[in-house]
Amino acid sequence: MAVRPTLSYFELRGRAEASRLLLGDLGVEFIDRRITSPEEWEALKQDVPFGGLPRYQDERVDLTQSHAILRYLARTQGLVGLDGLPGENDAAAWVVYDEIQEVLSETQEHLWRFAWEADYQDTGETYANGILRWFLGALQQWYSEHGEGEYWVGDTISHIDYLAFAYLDEVRAFFPETLARVELLAAFHARMQARPRIAEYIDSGHRPVVFGMAVDGPKVDPDVTLEPGQMFHNPWTQPIVLGG
Ligand SMILES: N[C@@H](CCC(=O)N[C@@H](CS)C(=O)NCC(=O)O)C(=O)O
């Protein structure tokens, strides 16, 4: 019997969102498992080699590390086509994907770390007008030099587009004016958001409403309408009421 692929993570977008977006957009059936209690996490944690999620399992792999998962999905789903790029056996052909994946990973980590600074609520403007603007400017420059207008690499969608969207969507949530200033990236974000299956996922009520944890609690997407009494269940704190 075929094993349905399973992506295990928490009730967060965080490190699983790019893979969720990729699988959902390609119409791959998968189990989007979310660990919501300390007991469940305690039991599962023993089972993952480096004690962290996401974890992706299918008939062939049992894999952790969010960026290894993304690369695996890109390869198995045939997203890293080399049309228009150097030959398949040329190691240099792949570096274009790897370089930008590392950069996006770093910029995303930077955004996440910012929300762990004690005074981050008061220093958002400085962050937005300083390092964030610089990062976005540099990303836009890379984007304009490598894609052919629509995607980050070449002329077809790849794992990089889902990763970039996941990152830019968090920028949209908390720094919308900063995103609007980088017009090419804002247009890319809007196009990804309008892809039918992504739009459906966003409206489904199934997408986690929390991006991740900050020093003062969960970072909730301000564009989501919360249900009265809506709760956030997670392994690290008592359940948190999100909807007033
Ligand atoms: N480098 C790993 C980091 C994995 C990681 O730190 N996961 C966190 C969630 S974002 C985790 O599982 N934390 C659970 C815990 O430490 O209790 C990746 O990118 O997958």
Side-chain angles (χ1 to χ4, degrees), residues 9-10 12 14-15 41 45 50-54 64-69 109 112 235-236:
Y9 194 57
F10 306 102
L12 304 168
R15 296 178 199 274
W41 177 224
K45 200 173 176 145
F50 301 99
L53 298 179
T64 56
Q65 295 299 323
S66 55
H67 289 283
I69 294 169
E109 293 283 346
W112 291 339
W236 314 288

Side-chain angles (χ1 to χ4, degrees), residues 53-126:
L53 298 179
R55 175 195 208 179
Y56 178 81
Q57 296 157 287
D58 66 11
E59 281 169 329
R60 298 170 65 198
V61 298
D62 182 352
L63 188 60
T64 56
Q65 295 299 323
S66 55
H67 289 283
I69 294 169
L70 255 187
R71 273 193 285 269
Y72 173 74
L73 295 176
R75 291 180 190 129
T76 51
Q77 296 300 322
L79 297 189
V80 279
L82 293 173
D83 289 354
L85 293 170
E88 200 170 335
N89 296 321
D90 182 352
W94 300 100
V95 297
V96 66
Y97 294 104
D98 291 342
E99 179 183 56
I100 197 61
Q101 186 169 1
E102 294 295 323
V103 173
L104 286 164
S105 160
E106 264 178 40
T107 50
Q108 196 173 41
E109 293 283 346
H110 199 276
L111 183 64
W112 291 339
R113 273 203 304 275
F114 168 65
W116 281 94
E117 287 171 17
D119 60 349
Y120 88 104
Q121 295 278 15
D122 305 324
T123 56
E125 212 173 305
T126 311

